[in-house]
Amino acid sequence: QVQLVESGGGLVQPGGSLRLSCAASGMIFSSYAMGWYRQAPGKEREWVARITSAGSINYAASVKGRFAISRDNAKNTLYLQMNSLKPEDTAVYYCNVVIGTIATIETWGQGTQVTVSS
């Protein structure tokens, strides 16, 4: 059974940085493309970034140039480095196995809350 556990969120001032982690188990992590998503209050969950098993990377326009996705296959862990954070980045952040930008694991993790506020 695949389990994804997100961590690293918190409260940060505008312009600040955070690094999120997603620990994966129950799967051959290195074989799969992985993605980050976020859901702000009252909004639909949206795709943020993805990284393929080969290391190809794509970002949503809203975060391109500010966020960086990476993975450590030896640690079965996905990362999201978030810089120049804005109040509109406030959301619960989730990871998932992806095909394209589509999440494939039906049961989402608990997510990690990111709040950008002064």
Side-chain angles (χ1 to χ4, degrees), residues 44-86:
E44 296 285 317
R45 187 158 19 210
E46 63 175 358
W47 169 74
V48 173
R50 73 162 191 150
I51 182 168
T52 69
S53 58
S56 295
I57 290 172
N58 300 97
Y59 297 101
S62 58
V63 306
K64 196 170 185 178
R66 300 187 299 120
F67 289 11
I69 189 172
S70 62
R71 64 193 300 161
D72 185 334
N73 291 333
K75 295 183 178 179
N76 287 354
T77 302
L78 178 72
Y79 301 101
L80 186 68
Q81 177 67 43
M82 306 188 296
N83 300 323
S84 303
L85 283 161
K86 304 175 181 180

Side-chain angles (χ1 to χ4, degrees), residues 3-7 21-24 29 34-38 45 78 93-98 103 105 107-109 111-112:
Q3 187 172 20
L4 302 167
V5 179
E6 301 90 349
S7 62
S21 299
C22 165
F29 180 76
M34 298 293 297
W36 284 99
Y37 296 78
R38 66 186 182 186
R45 187 158 19 210
L78 178 72
Y93 284 71
Y94 303 87
C95 61
N96 208 310
V97 180
V98 300
I105 305 299
T107 303
W108 294 81
T112 188

